[in-house]
Amino acid sequence: MSISRRKFLAWLGAAGIGSMVSRDAGASSNKHFRGYPKSSGVLYDMTRCVGCRECEAACNKVNSLPAPDKPFNDLTVLNTKRRTGTDAYTVVNKYSGTRHDGPVFRKIQCNHCLEPACASVCFVRALKKTKSGPVTYDESVCVGCRYCMVACPFDIPAYEYNEPLTPRVLKCTMCAPRIEKGQLPGCVEACPKEALTFGHRDDLIKIARKRIRKYPERYKDHIYGEHEMGGTSWLYLSPVPFKEVGMREDLGETPAPSLTSGALSIVPMVVGLWPVLLAGVYGITKRKEKIAMEEQQTAVAEATEKADHEAHLKLEAAMGKAKKDKETAIEKAIKKALEDVAGAEPDKEDS
Amino acid sequence: MSEEITTDSQSWITPFNVIAGIIILVGLIITVIRFTKGLGAVTHLSNDNPWGIWIGFDLLCGVALAAGGYTCSASVYLFGMKRYHSAVRPALLTGFLGYFFVVIALILDLGRPWRLPYPFIIGWGTTSLLFEVGLCVALYLTVLFIEFSPAPLEWLGFKKTRNIVVKLTLLLTILGVVLSTLHQSSLGALFLIAPSKLHPLWYSPYLPVFFFISSIIAGLSMVILEGSLSHKVFHHKMDETHLSECDPLTLGFGKAASLVLAGYFTIKVIGIAAGNHWDLLSTPYGLWFLVEMLGFVALPCFLYAVGVRDKNLKLIRGTSALTVCGIILNRLNVSVIAFNWQLPMSERYIPSWMEIAVSVFMVTLIIVFYKFIVTRMPVLYEHPDFKNSH
Ligand code: SF4
Ligand code: SF4
């Protein structure tokens, strides 16, 4: 038997149920995680940033990164668009064509998401969201699959492509080791304009709100990072729409893990249901085969019987015919004999 | 492919051996560069494009096209298509080789491949779909190995072990289907995490379902394609059963593939409707999407149907090649072509020649191993000692 339409539809149905189950599961797991209480973050106010690159220099120093090609006081670097890399965990880009008079500067680094995409996809849990705020990386277990880089919606993690045997995934750590010692993150400490404020995330949101309320003409009424991708520990205030400084506004508020929780919740369904269904299908197939076999046997038996019967009839008919033939032959012979006798008598009489 | 098998008396220097030899040599050299100079020296990967064709082709296409193993053994042992049972062994063999070389390719791509067991020993990152993929692929590779093992066991003459394994067929088949369902769909689900990077026409919450259903199509088509190719090359290696089952199998699997393709087309359309992305169809990416959908899903669906109706085996075989191309196209679209579609062209990923060479290297190794095995072990024919003992 090739695959019948009904079987095929049943498969499709099963697949459909699977995806429905997944959606429900996704929805129910959507309880709102508001981040660990009292976790730290940084508020970055673009209206205060002057693009001096002091934060870049400090980051380079505290993380002992390789010296850059051009020194940090060379501001021509700002003319090209850059992203984070293995030699720079934070970079500042300049945006000139905005609605603002004068350029707007924007610092990029890991946003330390409340529910990080990178950590949720790491299959060895090398990346972790700590209770105190930073998203940290454990080099000693990383396999180097780079799924974290695929997953990060902000394109932050960088990879040591030129390390043949010990490549690491590198990104801003929010200076977790310094925070532990009670110090400020390198960039925050170095900023001469107080564009960066370190503190508890809840407090930072309050500060940001206050600034927007106080100077509504100076700020867009939006704290980037308050809700984006479920919220991030790094928060941004901007004088222009965030889109104009290269920040995506289409990311939505769904935290990354709930994008995949549906697919993950199917696993037990498949493991639990598939064997039962398949065994059922196998049983049906077996039964069908058995019935087919029995039918075949009966058919054969009937056919033989019928053949026997027919043969019998034929034989009878043949015998009947033979008998008749014989009878006619005898009759004929007698008749002939009689005729012969009758014919012979006049001869006798004649002679 | 059209070359005849060399017998012992003939010279080793055949066109096939020369070309395969060169490819393997180049592949080995690139492997050495990879492990001395790093991924950066051989690939065009970047921080924005961390996955290239070693994931998009070697892993995604490799696993999809190796689906012949579970599709075929499920049809024969679970769905009662017993009369195609001669197709199971070659399908299991390609399945096993496919998965095996997926893992080999991963060794080149991963930063520290020797840590591949870490997720299951140290990390347990169960929130990651990659964890599920890794676990299922590892288990399934084992299942495929056991499922195929009767062939080498018959070859080596280990009767008892062979008979034990054969008794496990049903269990192994069910296990194979469960594991395949899980990881085939999870490969699609890998991309669920990146709605902001994958073009909305390809991104869908149904990605896992799409990947699973299309893996059935890939499996059916690969069995047909493989059958027709090895029919040409290994004709003398096939026994009566194999030769006589080939044509009905082509018809049967062609019919099944046509039906599943129709279903796949439908759910893809449902996917667009659910996302309400109709307007995107008139963009350049939309046209590309239509090429995939019409040229590589709808068209093969139709051609298979016509081929089955007219009993046109040639058409069905040609269609299977078209379908396989379509599966490759789909996987590359999701992982490379429509991925990072918003980046400017200068930041997009285009594979280096060395990346392509390594992918060709992997395919060549599969063919070489396939050839080595089918010319020695009872794959395309039944071992005389084990006839009718399936
Ligand atoms: S910004 Fe990216 S790297 Fe940083 S925590 Fe979020 S997902 Fe991870
Ligand atoms: S590259 Fe390392 S940190 Fe990133 S997901 Fe893979 S194992 Fe985790």
Side-chain angles (χ1 to χ4, degrees):
Chain A
M1 285 294 292
S2 57
I3 299 164
S4 73
R5 191 176 305 255
R6 193 179 311 161
K7 267 181 203 164
F8 170 70
L9 287 177
W11 289 355
L12 269 194
I17 290 168
S19 55
M20 266 156 65
V21 167
S22 84
R23 287 214 140 174
D24 290 352
S28 62
S29 74
N30 224 349
K31 53 182 183 310
H32 225 65
F33 176 73
R34 295 214 153 269
Y36 293 111
K38 297 262 171 230
S39 75
S40 303
V42 174
L43 173 65
Y44 171 53
D45 189 334
M46 284 183 225
T47 64
R48 298 182 180 190
C49 179
V50 293
C52 65
R53 302 186 68 209
E54 290 290 335
C55 53
E56 287 189 41
C59 177
N60 182 282
K61 204 171 130 222
V62 302
N63 290 300
S64 322
L65 298 177
D69 298 341
K70 289 184 184 169
F72 285 107
N73 54 21
D74 182 348
L75 298 185
T76 59
V77 170
L78 295 172
N79 293 332
T80 43
K81 191 189 149 212
R82 294 173 299 152
R83 62 154 284 161
T84 53
T86 51
D87 51 356
Y89 300 166
T90 183
V91 294
V92 178
N93 279 335
K94 184 163 96 177
Y95 295 86
S96 297
T98 61
R99 264 168 252 177
H100 199 64
D101 20 279
V104 179
F105 299 96
R106 173 201 157 209
K107 179 184 181 296
I108 313 174
Q109 74 299 303
C110 172
N111 285 330
H112 299 277
C113 307
L114 299 184
E115 294 179 73
C118 60
S120 88
V121 301
C122 180
F123 66 162
V124 274
R125 293 199 281 174
L127 289 156
K128 275 197 193 97
K129 175 76 177 173
T130 58
K131 285 215 165 76
S132 55
V135 173
T136 59
Y137 168 71
D138 180 359
E139 179 201 330
S140 70
V141 293
C142 172
V143 183
C145 67
R146 308 187 297 285
Y147 192 16
C148 48
M149 303 168 69
V150 168
C152 172
F154 304 106
D155 285 324
I156 297 303
Y159 184 76
E160 294 183 305
Y161 283 105
N162 294 320
E163 254 337 300
L165 300 175
T166 55
R168 291 170 299 171
V169 169
L170 296 175
K171 67 167 196 70
C172 157
T173 61
M174 208 198 268
C175 286
R178 284 171 63 92
I179 294 177
E180 237 164 67
K181 280 188 263 168
Q183 290 170 303
L184 284 176
C187 55
V188 176
E189 194 178 72
C191 180
K193 292 286 172 187
E194 285 187 38
L196 294 163
T197 315
F198 178 82
H200 288 156
R201 187 174 181 270
D202 304 335
D203 300 337
L204 295 176
I205 289 175
K206 277 182 209 138
I207 295 172
R209 286 246 166 76
K210 215 153 130 201
R211 286 189 200 168
I212 294 173
R213 213 180 313 125
K214 223 166 160 189
Y215 307 103
E217 70 295 341
R218 207 193 283 174
Y219 294 102
K220 285 279 138 203
D221 187 11
H222 178 180
I223 307 170
Y224 194 98
E226 187 181 3
H227 301 300
E228 274 76 10
M229 292 303 290
T232 59
S233 294
W234 216 281
L235 302 163
Y236 298 76
L237 282 176
S238 169
V240 295
F242 286 94
K243 237 190 344 226
E244 293 181 16
V245 290
M247 296 172 77
R248 295 189 67 160
E249 291 185 310
D250 59 348
L251 295 179
E253 301 185 352
T254 317
S258 48
L259 290 168
T260 52
S261 56
L264 285 167
S265 70
I266 299 182
V267 176
M269 293 292 152
V270 172
V271 174
L273 279 180
W274 246 160
V276 182
L277 290 179
L278 292 174
V281 169
Y282 175 74
I284 293 170
T285 313
K286 264 271 129 91
R287 213 179 103 82
K288 261 199 204 147
E289 266 168 21
K290 205 175 144 212
I291 292 174
M293 185 94 99
E294 279 169 6
E295 271 172 5
Q296 202 180 351
Q297 274 167 0
T298 8
V300 168
E302 263 172 21
T304 341
E305 204 172 284
K306 207 169 151 210
D308 278 356
H309 189 63
E310 264 171 20
H312 191 69
L313 283 182
K314 239 186 182 163
L315 194 71
E316 253 176 15
M319 276 184 32
K321 198 167 168 255
K323 210 170 156 194
K324 226 173 167 184
D325 284 353
K326 216 173 163 185
E327 271 166 14
T328 17
I330 293 173
E331 260 170 35
K332 246 188 188 163
I334 293 175
K335 215 170 159 193
K336 199 171 171 243
L338 284 177
E339 270 170 16
D340 282 354
V341 172
E345 268 179 5
D347 283 354
K348 253 188 188 171
E349 277 168 15
D350 288 347
S351 60
Chain B
M1 287 302 295
S2 61
E3 151 279 354
E4 274 295 304
I5 304 307
T6 50
T7 55
D8 295 342
S9 57
Q10 271 174 316
S11 151
W12 272 94
I13 302 171
T14 61
F16 175 84
N17 286 355
V18 171
I19 296 173
I22 295 173
I23 294 173
I24 291 174
L25 191 70
V26 172
L28 289 176
I29 294 172
I30 299 174
T31 309
V32 171
I33 304 177
R34 149 70 185 90
F35 284 107
T36 48
K37 298 250 154 58
L39 275 177
V42 291
T43 69
H44 281 172
L45 297 176
S46 65
N47 288 332
D48 288 327
N49 302 293
W51 283 355
I53 56 167
W54 290 356
I55 298 293
F57 180 78
D58 297 12
L59 173 66
L60 296 187
C61 298
V63 168
L65 299 183
Y70 89 87
T71 346
C72 198
S73 52
S75 326
V76 171
Y77 297 126
L78 299 179
F79 294 91
M81 300 179 210
K82 278 242 172 64
R83 61 205 171 104
Y84 304 148
H85 91 268
S86 69
V88 173
R89 272 198 190 173
L92 285 177
L93 175 60
T94 16
F96 174 72
L97 290 175
Y99 278 91
F100 186 76
F101 284 100
V102 160
V103 177
I104 300 290
L106 275 184
I107 289 178
L108 268 86
D109 189 78
L110 290 174
R112 310 192 202 201
W114 51 91
R115 287 185 177 173
L116 211 43
Y118 275 26
F120 317 110
I121 304 170
I122 300 176
W124 288 93
T126 45
T127 53
S128 171
L129 279 149
L130 199 58
F131 181 86
E132 195 192 318
V133 170
L135 190 62
C136 292
V137 168
L139 291 175
Y140 187 49
L141 190 60
T142 321
V143 169
L144 273 173
F145 179 76
I146 304 175
E147 274 187 293
F148 181 69
S149 66
L153 289 173
E154 285 170 17
W155 181 53
L156 297 169
F158 294 148
K159 271 196 183 171
K160 266 203 189 135
T161 331
R162 182 255 178 216
N163 289 340
I164 296 174
V165 176
V166 169
K167 285 218 180 73
L168 295 175
T169 304
L170 184 63
L171 189 72
L172 289 170
T173 308
I174 292 185
L175 203 57
V177 176
V178 171
L179 291 170
S180 295
T181 312
L182 288 177
H183 71 259
Q184 293 285 2
S185 59
S186 309
L187 281 176
L190 283 182
F191 294 91
L192 287 179
I193 196 76
S196 61
K197 296 185 185 178
L198 183 56
H199 192 281
L201 282 175
W202 282 274
Y203 184 91
S204 157
Y206 300 112
L207 262 175
V209 183
F210 294 164
F211 266 55
F212 173 59
I213 301 291
S214 57
S215 83
I216 299 174
I217 299 166
L220 295 169
S221 302
M222 275 304 280
V223 172
I224 299 175
L225 184 64
E226 240 180 273
S228 70
L229 289 180
S230 54
H231 218 72
K232 281 193 191 129
V233 186
F234 302 110
H235 195 277
H236 58 287
K237 278 276 161 198
M238 297 180 169
D239 62 5
E240 263 320 292
T241 336
H242 208 104
L243 291 173
S244 65
E245 283 183 6
C246 191
D247 291 355
L249 173 125
T250 306
L251 282 175
F253 274 35
K255 186 174 167 197
S258 175
L259 284 169
V260 186
L261 273 164
Y264 180 61
F265 187 87
T266 316
I267 55 173
K268 286 284 268 192
V269 173
I270 293 173
I272 310 178
N276 205 4
H277 295 314
W278 302 106
D279 51 324
L280 290 172
L281 288 178
S282 56
T283 63
Y285 273 101
L287 293 181
W288 184 237
F289 181 78
L290 288 177
V291 168
E292 183 193 320
M293 286 296 290
L294 299 179
F296 293 91
V297 180
L299 183 64
C301 172
F302 174 72
L303 291 180
Y304 267 136
V306 172
V308 170
R309 192 197 56 193
D310 301 347
K311 301 226 181 321
N312 184 342
L313 297 173
K314 247 203 182 142
L315 180 62
I316 298 180
R317 291 187 180 131
T319 309
S320 71
L322 179 69
T323 315
V324 167
C325 292
I327 297 291
I328 296 175
L329 181 69
N330 172 260
R331 299 307 195 252
L332 287 179
N333 274 339
V334 170
S335 60
V336 174
I337 298 170
F339 192 81
N340 271 340
W341 64 288
Q342 284 172 323
L343 290 184
M345 206 48 213
S346 59
E347 290 166 29
R348 294 295 306 274
Y349 160 84
I350 294 162
S352 72
W353 75 265
M354 286 195 264
E355 289 179 83
I356 298 172
V358 165
S359 295
V360 175
F361 174 43
M362 292 300 146
V363 175
T364 311
L365 286 178
I366 294 179
I367 297 174
V368 168
F369 273 76
Y370 186 85
K371 202 180 135 181
F372 179 89
I373 294 175
V374 295
T375 46
R376 281 163 184 82
M377 298 180 194
V379 177
L380 300 175
Y381 59 93
E382 273 173 278
H383 195 289
D385 297 354
F386 300 94
K387 258 209 163 2
N388 299 325
S389 57
H390 287 267

